[in-house]
Each structure stands twice: as structure tokens, then as C-alpha cells.
Amino acid sequence: MQKTLIAGLSALVAGALVSGCGKSEDGGSERSYAFLTNGVASFWDICKVGAETAGKDLGVEVSVLMPDGVVQQNQMLEDVVIRGVEGIAISPIDAENQVSAINEAAAKTRLITADSDAPKSDRMFYLGMDNYEAGRMCGQLVKEALPDGGSVMIFMGRLEQDNAKGRRQGLIDELLDRDPDPTRFDPPGQVPKEGKYEILGTLTDQFDRVRGKQNVDDTLSAHPDLGCAVGLFVFNPPLILESLKSAGKLGQVKVVGFDEADETLQGIIDGHVYGTLVQNPYEYGYQSIKVLDALAKGDDSVIPENGFISVPARMIRKDNVEEFWADLNQKLGK
């Protein structure tokens, strides 16, 4: 009897939570939106602030959900559709294998991709940066840090994401002075060397920080003369710095990063990181909610003809890092 009562109360509470979603304090309808990240990282904490700030500015409800893997992301996607949100922004973890799940959600509500695209899906459009071009910009930083050439190792979270493939290939193509071709793909096991730069490989960690640091440790042991370590996900540059410090090689191996982790920015100030290529996760969050709300109110003018809303990437070096960091902290309320 007691178990039945507890189960009944749980169902009642759950029903209240679902039915309460999307209601304003005066009992009227409130538009609600969801942003599904592709993992848990400081990058997404910044995006969350942007999305929630947009929610406050627009007077709408915003949920930012951070999954741990594809299975959980698909479940979250299904859950927010059931909840009845007016729109969804998602950064797909494995675009190729999530087309079906994304299409099912897109058939029931407004859905856009942000940060990473799923071009084969029925998403309305993609909001973010051109990751191939950003990868080439990252390659330019490596060339500046290592002008005479040398060996380069690439560290990243995963290769399944559309954005990860693009930024990695852009980096490789820039270092090898190839003509632009976003459709090109060099398998991770290959060691391409054309001209001054030798790309030793690409090591992934699947968002496992212990594995990520071990990847760097192993590289430093196998390649004591490593020229430059490139970290393509927000947590990779801090792990590179941690490993270099343990090995007593801070300043000996050039470091180029991606994104704006505090450790990476401090590393630029300290001279241990040459530079980093930053996206704009705050704007990813803010603009995603803004365009979804416009669509929900019937404003289709926000839909880009080319299916792409660009939020440009930026190079951060020692000459502009402090100004950038101060602006970022202001946005985050620090």
C-alpha cells in the first residue's frame, strides 16, 4: 500500500513538473526552448549563460542540457519533444548516426543545429562557425608558433562530430599548404608530411580527461623532440599544459589551442601557449534562443537562404588575450 502511494505521488509530482513547464506565473502560456550540448565542458558553461540570458531578455523558458554520450543526448532530445518545447538547438555528437533521431524531433518542433552541424538531417539551419576555415586559422597560429617547421601532434575529444572533422582537416590542410577542400579527409592513422610540417597523428579521448592527459604523456615519451601540441577541444590545451609541466617541458614544446578555457588564456599570458582559436559559445547560446523564439512567433525572415548563420571565429594571442578575457568575464558576470 505504501509503495503504491509513493508511486502515485511520484507520478503526480512528475505530471505537475511537465504540465508546469511552459506556463507563466499568471497562468498564461510561456514559450520554452531547449539547447542540447554535445558534452560537459567549460565551453558549454559559457553557452549556457548566453542561452539563459536570452531567455531572460525575451521572457521565455530555457533549458540547457549537457549529455554524456550519444545515447543520453538522443534520450534528452526525445524528452524535450515530449515536454512540448517550442524549439530545440542541438550540437549533434555523431551527426551521421543521429539523422533519424534528429528528423523525428524536427518533424514535431522547430529544430536547428548549433556549434556542430548535421547537414544530412531535416534541421532548419546551422548556427555556428565554418569549422574548416577555423581549422585553417588554427593552422596559421601553428605556423606562427613554429615558423621553421617541425612535428605536430593533434589532440581532441572525438572525431565523430561534424565540427571536429572540419577543424582537424582545416588544420592539416593549412599546415601542408594544400588548396582548400572541406570534403577532404585524412585518416587519423596516417602521418602526412608535405613541406616543413610533419603531422604525427590525431589522438582522441572521448571526453575522458585521464585518457586525454595520458595521450599527451605518451606522445612526449615517444617524441621527445615534439615541435607543437595542438588541442582542438576546450579541455585539451589545459591537459597539454598539465602534462608539459609534469615533464618539465613548459616552454620547450609550442602549444596552440582551441576555445577559451581559463587555463589556456592564462597560458597565453604566461607565455606557455602561443595562441588559441576561439569560437563564441556565449553567442551560440544567445542567438540560438533568439532565432528559435523569432520562428515561434512566425518570423521566418531569420531563416538564412544558405542554411548557415555565421558566428565568426577569432585568433587570440598575447596582444589581445587580456582584453578578450575581460570581456568574457563581464558576460559571465565574474
Side-chain angles (χ1 to χ4, degrees), residues 225-266:
D225 59 346
L226 178 67
C228 184
V230 183
L232 290 184
F233 277 45
V234 65
F235 51 82
N236 291 127
L239 294 177
I240 291 170
L241 290 173
E242 187 180 338
S243 182
L244 289 175
K245 183 177 181 180
S246 299
K249 290 193 172 185
L250 275 176
Q252 296 179 31
V253 177
K254 302 297 182 182
V255 179
V256 169
F258 222 93
D259 297 327
E260 56 278 79
D262 286 351
E263 299 91 336
T264 303
L265 300 178
Q266 188 61 53

Side-chain angles (χ1 to χ4, degrees), residues 1 44 75 136 214 219 233 254:
M1 177 68 177
W44 291 119
Q75 185 59 60
R136 294 202 74 123
Q214 190 62 51
T219 297
F233 277 45
K254 302 297 182 182

Side-chain angles (χ1 to χ4, degrees), residues 41-103:
S42 59
F43 176 90
W44 291 119
D45 292 335
I46 299 170
C47 178
K48 184 173 187 286
V49 173
E52 291 178 343
T53 300
K56 292 175 183 176
D57 290 348
L58 298 168
V60 300
E61 180 186 325
V62 174
S63 300
V64 179
L65 307 175
M66 302 187 188
D68 181 15
V70 177
V71 174
Q72 190 175 46
Q73 189 181 57
N74 285 344
Q75 185 59 60
M76 287 177 171
L77 183 58
E78 184 179 338
D79 289 346
V80 295
V81 170
I82 292 173
R83 205 177 77 194
V85 295
E86 295 278 351
I88 299 168
I90 182 172
S91 176
I93 292 173
D94 186 353
E96 289 287 331
N97 294 309
Q98 286 183 280
V99 170
S100 178
I102 292 172
N103 287 352

